[in-house]
Amino acid sequence: MADKTAKNPKRQWGAERATAPMSIKHPVPSLRKIVVGRIAIIVTIFAWFMYVITTIMREFIEGDPGSLRYVLEAVSYVAVVTALTFSALMYLLARQGALYRFRDHIRTPRGPLDQHYDGADGHDITVLIPSYKEELDVIAKTVWSAALQEFPSKRIVLLIDDPPNPTNPDDIAQLNAARDLPARIAAALDEPRSRLEHTSAVVHDELEGAETAPRDILSLVAADYGYASEWLETMACEHPLVDHTDAFFVERVLRGLAGDLKLTKIALDGALDQQQSPTPTRLLQLHNRLVRIFSAEIMVFERKAYDSLSHEANKAMNLNSYIGIMGKRWRIEKTPSGQVLTEVGAHSECDLDIPWTKYLLTLDADSMLLRDYCVRLVHVLEEPGNERIAVIQTPYSSYRGAPSRIERMAGATTDLQHNLHQGMSYYNATFWVGANAVIRRDALEDIVEKQTVGGFEIRTYVQDRTVIEDTESSIDLGTHGWTLLNYPERLSYSATPPDFGSLIVQRRRWANGGLLILPKFARQLRERRYRRDRVLHREIWLRINYMASIAWASAGLVFLLGYPYDSRLLSPWVILAAAPYFLCMASDLKYSGHRRTDIFRIYGFNLVLLAVNIAGVVKSIQQALTNTKIPFARTPKVQDRTAAPGIYVFIPYVIVGFSVLTFIRDYQAENWGNAIFAATNAILCTYAIIAYIGIRASLVDMVLGVVNWLYVPDVPSRRQLKKKEEGERAARRAKGASEPVEWERILYDGDRRLGPDVKRKNDLRRRITPR
């Protein structure tokens, strides 16, 4: 039995203690909740309109603006208020759509699902799990959650993106462990699969063509369900509980499936006690389900082992490299530069035979799926009328029981986003979120871009131009007439950053790229209107807000924090326009299992991330001007704290200091509205610094930031390296050792001397110079 004495990470005061996740199916919202949501939208629009009329128009028409400065202040202030109110309105609109979907959703019963998948061909799926230097236990839980999906034919591929030939002993051990993981999981599944396949042959022989099911066969099927349930329970008991993700894996992935199977056994035992039995067809379906659960092909693929595949440092090209070789047979050829893949015919010998599957499931290495994720989502794709749905997903939720305050708050914002994404599907404004998704392979073939790099064809299905590759691919799919859908249940969970350093990496990536995609969305709208597709204004608003709201919200907040606006511009109508947004968000936090008061913590959370969001937006502008890609920064997943860049820790202190000065100035000037706003910002940002960053950690990060800025590493120049190389060659010549001719590389690469030889050029110049 595995060691279960591992200690949980130290829990902070104010962290989340409850580890029980939310229910799979969203509770049906009450009529009162729906009506209040509608009223919130009306009040927001009405309050904004009244503010413009009563404050701005009154000052310009009835009053005396007084100066050009006041006019500019008024125009900029109303622009900021309008932008922030628009974002709040889009939140309320998406929230309302989510309420409608939760109200109307009817879960497909178990029986029709088993009937849909039983004995049908073409139900195959490839699960792609991109991984880069992930901890072994994190990957293992992800692979297990995919391997236990009850899908007819599933192939799980762990896409390891680590350098294939590391020199560090720790990296070597980590890489070898990841390479061995699929084989270990497959070996563990072999025992239950072998037993169930053996009894499956008996069940099929006895029930094939029978009019009634014999009692001994019914008892055998019930016993197999009991065996499968006990096997999962044993695995759950032996799994070490190190952190809250382990608790989720044990309780919801393993014991959740075990409880489902045990319930079926109880039903079959009840039929035995009552001298009754399901039909032979139904009994076959039930046993086939058991075999599917424990049957999976699991393998590893490393794109960096082949020079013919892209080595771009991002998750998108890791996925694209494997997708591009699916459905073909390949021979591995060794060249002086490395291994390359060469396509061979159907009757030729090959080293890799990558099957084509109708569906792909992309799954981040720190995510987990609940038991019937695949069967329910693919069932929706195969319903009549859904032939043009390219991507279906369940926006991920956060693991409960976070041991740190910042992880709990990041999880709260994640759960809010889950609801908003569900509502966006109501208005056909779905975006591919990225952590998990089932994709039609045919849809990817419509958006593929091909280019030749170094003589090898590189296929790009998921765009890597920006670091939010899923968002851009959503626009590409819409341009080609495909749609996307969020399944209205909680069937997937993913990790949230546990410290401020890793959170910076994630949120800076999220803030980058949205502005770059807006022109592509404009082209999509032209294409859809040309096809005479119906395009709702609400879809356009929601999509624009999703891609660009971080930019204008961050800029607007900077203006409100930093510029001393005239007190005449502040009005109760502004507060009334913002109130529905905050009240509804507090209600949504409570609905998602958090606290209503977390609304204030989230505000402080956003203040300390203000510089991070602005940095992401600025990076987008830089990328647009230079037309270059930026490196994909993966969110660190380490046990220890991730150090944060000093500038991002320093800015929250600047916000606090400036807010205090603003409060003192406005208090003395009796500018009460601005004084209250400044005091609120100072208090909540101070709390956020203490709770989410930590005074000691922030001081350490700022000192390290200064030291790293002042420190200049001693990197040898090219001249020094060349001189060292020439010295080594001279020493070898003095010993009489001749350098071997790299004949294979010369024959493969040809002449690589593409520039002039300076030494020979100078010698030639001296020879032809007239005397």
Side-chain angles (χ1 to χ4, degrees), residues 345-515:
H347 303 291
S348 302
E349 293 185 1
C350 69
D351 299 303
L352 289 177
D353 187 358
I354 311 296
W356 172 286
T357 55
K358 185 177 181 180
Y359 301 107
L360 297 174
L361 167 56
T362 60
L363 180 63
D364 280 359
D366 59 351
S367 300
M368 287 186 238
L369 304 177
L370 297 190
R371 52 190 176 274
D372 48 1
Y373 177 97
C374 286
V375 291
R376 292 195 177 276
L377 270 60
V378 173
H379 180 257
V380 173
L381 290 179
E382 296 182 347
E383 288 180 339
N386 292 341
E387 293 81 5
R388 295 300 295 177
I389 296 179
V391 177
I392 185 170
Q393 62 190 357
T394 60
Y396 65 89
S397 300
S398 64
Y399 299 121
R400 310 314 296 266
S404 65
R405 291 182 291 266
I406 192 169
E407 185 174 356
R408 184 177 81 83
M409 208 47 51
T413 59
T414 294
D415 294 334
L416 290 177
Q417 287 296 319
H418 170 90
N419 295 337
L420 295 184
H421 279 287
Q422 295 288 4
M424 291 170 72
S425 285
Y426 185 79
Y427 305 103
N428 193 34
T430 310
F431 278 97
W432 179 4
V433 178
N436 68 91
V438 176
I439 313 162
R440 287 187 197 270
R441 178 61 191 270
D442 291 343
L444 291 180
E445 293 298 328
D446 276 357
I447 64 173
V448 64
E449 295 182 2
K450 303 176 184 178
Q451 58 179 330
T452 301
V453 179
F456 301 104
E457 183 184 70
I458 302 297
R459 296 186 170 214
T460 300
Y461 299 90
V462 182
Q463 289 297 325
D464 68 329
R465 187 171 63 102
T466 68
V467 291
I468 48 173
E469 69 286 339
D470 42 16
T471 301
E472 185 168 4
S473 298
S474 302
I475 302 300
D476 291 337
L477 290 167
T479 303
H480 287 79
W482 293 94
T483 60
L484 300 90
L485 182 68
N486 289 315
Y487 188 73
E489 292 185 5
R490 298 187 183 98
L491 294 174
S492 66
Y493 287 76
S494 191
T496 49
D499 55 63
F500 190 63
S502 56
L503 183 69
I504 286 175
V505 176
Q506 183 194 70
R507 297 305 169 99
R508 186 170 53 190
R509 188 176 69 240
W510 288 3
N512 172 251
L515 296 178

Side-chain angles (χ1 to χ4, degrees), residues 269-286:
D269 289 340
L272 280 170
D273 293 341
Q274 299 172 28
Q275 303 295 320
Q276 297 178 0
S277 173
T279 64
T281 300
R282 182 70 181 116
L283 208 54
L284 279 172
Q285 292 173 359
L286 290 172

